[in-house]
Amino acid sequence: MPRFHLINGELVQYTSEEESARDVEEASDIAKEASIKYINERREGTATTPGYGSFGEQLDKLYHDINAGKFGANAKTGSWFVGISSVKAAHPKSS
Amino acid sequence: MATIDLGKIKFKWQGTYAGGTAYVPDDVVYYVDGSVGSSYMCVANTQGNAPSSGGTPHASWQYLAKGQATSPTTTQGDIIVRGSSADERLGIGAAGKVLKVNSSANGYEFGEGGGQVLLASADLTGQTLGNVTLNYFTNTYSVYKLYIHGMYFSSNNRPRLRFIKNSDSLPQEGNQYAWHSMHPYRTSSANNHNTHGAWTQSYGEMHGENMVHTHWSMAGEYIFYHPMSTTRKTQCTYYSIGEESDRGQHNQHIGAIWALQLEAYKGIVIYPTSGTITAISYRLFGIIN
């Protein structure tokens, strides 16, 4: 379908030159849009696949991995884990 | 014995008052004082004394029937206001103007009423718009507000804008824009937020870098600051909302777009990243200075 300009409320059909120029512009944008798309999808997810999640969610996963011993026993003595553990102890999860 | 015909006893009508005529009690005249024509009855011998002045009767005269001033109106829409000494007409103002007290606070005038003036509006569906151009920026206003809603795209898309140069009526291209936005969003599973932005780009993003699903529309409010100035860079702040994946993610952007060079811009052109705009409603207002 032909494109139209809407200029101050008046419809003006694209000339063939304008159609071609716009097609070129859109085509040149494809690679850029692809890079934006994967970044957005990783950060934000899609309707069916979650993204990274918030910092809080990511760090919570890290806490549970450490707590499960996946980083070795020493990881539980680090200041970050000890600090988070103390907060969790001070504000226990309701049962 | 003389007889008196009681039917002949009456005021003596002397017609229009004349300064050279000597009047005696019970003479009746017509006289126009200012713009008020009235009839007067003489109550004492007099000559050369007008029956009244400025609405006050002379001691030799009294009102018999006091008239009313002739309406000063001449044209449809006139209103009557009191001037310094008499009623005056005030002609109707131009379309959209309001009646307000003048700067001397001693009268009225028509002028801008404050608030915002609608410059352009449209409610369109069933379109294949490659762009929407709004060339309404002038030196009359410093700030403009654009409301968009019901904006649909032919495919999953988002809008961008470029400013229209006042010098040659062409869109500002080249890397003359910077934009950024805060992006709170809600997915079907969680709340989240991030930021988007670019420094030097050939356009400004109007909804961050999030697409709007073709099934759903987007809406937003865009404010433009001093676009016609050649000494200040044109700035735009905005809020926008759109639904990206079909019923899976709602996005909001709180953003800003800068023109990076000093240039007077007469308008904007809005266009989709690809495809066309199939529907749009917009209202553009100038904010009264």
Side-chain angles (χ1 to χ4, degrees):
Chain A
M1 294 180 69
R3 298 181 180 94
F4 287 82
H5 304 277
L6 181 69
I7 303 172
N8 288 0
E10 182 181 354
L11 286 170
V12 179
Q13 187 170 344
Y14 274 42
T15 64
S16 57
E17 290 80 9
E18 289 172 331
E19 290 279 6
S20 299
R22 180 58 182 153
D23 288 343
V24 169
E25 188 176 28
E26 286 189 7
S28 69
D29 229 23
I30 288 176
K32 182 180 177 183
E33 285 303 309
S35 68
I36 292 171
K37 184 170 184 287
Y38 97 84
I39 291 171
N40 278 354
E41 289 179 351
R42 283 188 178 182
R43 291 194 305 189
E44 303 165 12
T46 66
T48 55
T49 308
Y52 290 137
S54 67
F55 291 152
E57 290 168 346
Q58 294 176 51
L59 290 169
D60 193 53
K61 289 175 184 172
L62 182 61
Y63 172 86
H64 287 291
D65 284 346
I66 293 172
N67 198 36
K70 294 181 180 178
F71 291 87
N74 281 345
K76 291 188 179 182
T77 64
S79 58
W80 178 79
F81 186 87
V82 171
I84 296 296
S85 296
S86 65
V87 171
K88 287 178 178 290
H91 307 287
K93 191 174 184 178
S94 61
S95 53
Chain B
M1 181 178 176
T3 59
I4 298 173
D5 184 348
L6 295 177
K8 298 294 185 184
I9 297 174
K10 58 183 181 182
F11 297 123
K12 187 172 184 181
W13 176 246
Q14 298 284 24
T16 300
Y17 169 81
T21 302
Y23 295 97
V24 299
D26 296 332
D27 280 348
V28 175
V29 298
Y30 173 75
Y31 178 72
V32 178
D33 181 4
S35 62
V36 181
S38 304
S39 57
Y40 299 82
M41 180 176 68
C42 181
V43 295
N45 292 344
T46 185
Q47 183 174 358
N49 296 308
S52 69
S53 178
T56 302
H58 185 268
S60 304
W61 299 93
Q62 289 190 356
Y63 282 114
L64 188 64
K66 190 174 187 301
Q68 282 193 316
T70 304
S71 170
T73 61
T74 60
T75 309
Q76 183 178 2
D78 282 353
I79 58 176
I80 300 171
V81 297
R82 176 70 182 185
S84 57
S85 61
D87 290 347
E88 297 174 349
R89 68 175 284 270
L90 178 63
I92 192 169
K97 305 298 183 184
V98 300
L99 183 63
K100 62 180 184 180
V101 176
N102 64 19
S103 57
S104 301
N106 61 4
Y108 297 95
E109 63 186 6
F110 285 95
E112 302 293 355
Q116 49 193 25
V117 175
L118 180 64
L119 301 176
S121 66
D123 298 285
L124 302 171
T125 57
Q127 304 294 316
T128 56
L129 300 176
N131 59 65
V132 176
T133 298
L134 298 169
N135 285 330
Y136 291 97
F137 298 159
T138 65
N139 287 314
T140 301
Y141 309 105
S142 299
V143 181
Y144 296 82
K145 269 190 177 183
L146 173 66
Y147 296 94
I148 292 174
H149 65 98
M151 189 178 195
Y152 285 87
F153 301 96
S154 58
S155 57
N156 294 353
N157 241 307
R158 65 177 184 274
R160 292 172 174 162
L161 75 73
R162 286 176 172 142
F163 295 115
I164 305 292
K165 289 177 286 182
N166 189 52
S167 57
D168 58 10
S169 299
L170 294 174
Q172 175 71 67
E173 297 183 356
N175 288 323
Q176 295 298 341
Y177 298 86
W179 67 271
H180 59 75
S181 69
M182 281 295 298
H183 172 214
Y185 62 96
R186 172 72 202 188
T187 69
S188 54
S189 59
N191 300 318
N192 215 327
H193 66 275
N194 57 33
T195 59
H196 298 214
W199 179 270
T200 73
Q201 210 157 42
S202 67
Y203 49 78
E205 295 280 11
M206 297 178 71
H207 186 56
E209 289 175 318
N210 286 95
M211 296 296 193
V212 179
H213 195 279
T214 188
H215 288 177
W216 308 106
S217 65
M218 68 160 287
E221 173 187 342
Y222 301 81
I223 305 173
F224 300 91
Y225 303 91
H226 39 74
M228 283 291 286
S229 173
T230 55
T231 59
R232 297 175 182 175
K233 294 176 181 177
T234 298
Q235 298 165 318
C236 167
T237 56
Y238 70 85
Y239 303 88
S240 65
I241 54 173
E243 187 164 341
E244 186 162 13
S245 49
D246 188 4
R247 285 160 285 190
Q249 181 171 327
H250 288 173
N251 298 308
Q252 179 186 7
H253 283 273
I254 303 124
I257 300 170
W258 267 271
L260 292 178
Q261 67 177 16
L262 293 174
E263 177 85 35
Y265 295 114
K266 66 191 292 187
I268 55 171
V269 55
I270 299 168
Y271 64 100
T273 48
S274 63
T276 60
I277 298 167
T278 57
I280 185 172
S281 290
Y282 62 80
R283 305 286 184 272
L284 176 66
F285 294 90
I287 306 301
I288 304 298
N289 293 332

